[in-house]
Amino acid sequence: GDSVTQTEGLVTLTEGLPVMLNCTYQSTYSPFLFWYVQHLNEAPKLLLKSFTDNKRPEHQGFHATLHKSSSSFHLQKSSAQLSDSALYYCALSDGNNAPRFGAGTKLSVKP
Amino acid sequence: DMKVTQMPRYLIKRMGENVLLECGQDMSHETMYWYRQDPGLGLQLIYISYDVDSNSEGDIPKGYRVSRKKREHFSLILDSAKTNQTSVYFCASSFQTSQNTLYFGAGTRLSVL
């Protein structure tokens, strides 16, 4: 079945350093990949999602590239900000199936 | 204004009591979901509803049931709650499934004592 793997439970960074959160997936079909972000005591909300035409999605300085050869959709940002501290979920959806989420990565950005 | 509303936000119940979690959306979305969130496990799908009275089990349906009698409302019911059902429950909706964005409610924090 479909699955999403986020290997890092916690990533701690100093403000200004680059961010990379890992996401790999297994899927029978050609899936859509998503990143959702959840700030403390808030609901998860969409950060960005993959396009069908292989364009690289970007939002709020974050971007992610879908690599079908390696089944990955890593989230990147060139310079972390304190406000980026949050829980980040990678999710996968294919066919008519509900999105499945990874275990989540907590990003903590320190001054 | 696109909104998913969950009630109540916080709930404390004793083991064996029945629990009703309610969710509403104002976007006329066909598809609605219930997930639970636990540390280290992420968001796990309990049930999905494709429309009124068209519900399917997710990955962890045991101990839960759902009801969808109107497109805008989706309820999660725990008959005889157990302590391991202590969690944060999120309702979400989307236009359909596949590549469409999920819109989440604010969550219900349930404690079963």
Side-chain angles (χ1 to χ4, degrees), chain A residues 47-60:
Chain A
L47 181 60
L48 48 81
K49 66 181 180 181
S50 61
F51 289 110
T52 53
D53 58 1
N54 294 323
K55 286 183 184 174
R56 189 178 81 169
E58 295 191 30
H59 186 63
Q60 296 179 343

Side-chain angles (χ1 to χ4, degrees), chain B residues 21-33:
Chain B
L21 304 184
E22 306 210 72
C23 176
Q25 50 99 358
D26 62 3
M27 296 169 277
S28 297
H29 283 164
E30 295 176 352
T31 311
M32 297 186 74
Y33 315 77

Side-chain angles (χ1 to χ4, degrees), chain A residues 36 38 42-45 101, chain B residues 3-9 21-27 29-37 43-49 66-68 70-76 87-94 101-109:
Chain A
Y36 284 82
Q38 183 182 17
E42 294 184 7
K45 59 184 179 184
F101 288 79
Chain B
K3 202 167 183 180
V4 177
T5 304
Q6 288 186 240
M7 295 293 288
R9 292 293 317 280
L21 304 184
E22 306 210 72
C23 176
Q25 50 99 358
D26 62 3
M27 296 169 277
H29 283 164
E30 295 176 352
T31 311
M32 297 186 74
Y33 315 77
W34 279 105
Y35 289 89
R36 64 177 279 177
Q37 181 182 47
L43 291 160
Q44 297 176 274
L45 179 68
I46 306 171
Y47 267 94
I48 179 174
S49 174
V66 293
S67 175
R68 190 155 179 217
K70 294 182 179 180
R71 179 172 279 191
E72 61 268 25
H73 289 133
F74 190 34
S75 301
L76 180 69
S87 186
V88 181
Y89 291 86
F90 284 98
C91 174
S93 72
S94 67
T101 300
L102 263 62
Y103 294 87
F104 284 89
T108 294
R109 185 174 294 274

Side-chain angles (χ1 to χ4, degrees), chain A residues 1 5 11 22-23 26 32 34 36 50-51 64-65 69-70 72 75 82 88 91 93 100:
Chain A
T5 302
V11 172
N22 292 324
C23 173
Q26 284 189 308
F32 287 92
F34 306 78
Y36 284 82
S50 61
F51 289 110
T65 302
S69 58
S70 57
S72 67
L75 183 68
L82 296 176
Y88 291 80
S93 180
R100 261 62 177 188

Side-chain angles (χ1 to χ4, degrees), chain A:
Chain A
D2 296 346
S3 65
V4 177
T5 302
Q6 295 179 251
T7 53
E8 310 124 327
L10 172 64
V11 172
T12 303
L13 288 173
T14 302
E15 187 180 15
L17 290 182
V19 179
M20 179 158 155
L21 305 184
N22 292 324
C23 173
T24 57
Y25 65 90
Q26 284 189 308
S27 177
T28 307
Y29 304 103
S30 292
F32 287 92
L33 274 294
F34 306 78
W35 279 99
Y36 284 82
V37 59
Q38 183 182 17
H39 288 95
L40 191 62
N41 296 324
E42 294 184 7
K45 59 184 179 184
L46 181 71
L47 181 60
L48 48 81
K49 66 181 180 181
S50 61
F51 289 110
T52 53
D53 58 1
N54 294 323
K55 286 183 184 174
R56 189 178 81 169
E58 295 191 30
H59 186 63
Q60 296 179 343
F62 286 95
H63 62 270
T65 302
L66 180 61
H67 289 290
K68 294 181 181 178
S69 58
S70 57
S71 298
S72 67
F73 191 59
H74 304 320
L75 183 68
Q76 294 178 276
K77 186 177 184 182
S78 59
S79 176
Q81 297 177 287
L82 296 176
S83 58
D84 294 331
S85 293
L87 182 57
Y88 291 80
Y89 285 110
C90 184
L92 172 155
S93 180
D94 64 23
N96 201 31
N97 297 316
R100 261 62 177 188
F101 288 79
T105 297
K106 182 178 179 180
L107 176 64
S108 178
V109 182
K110 307 218 179 282

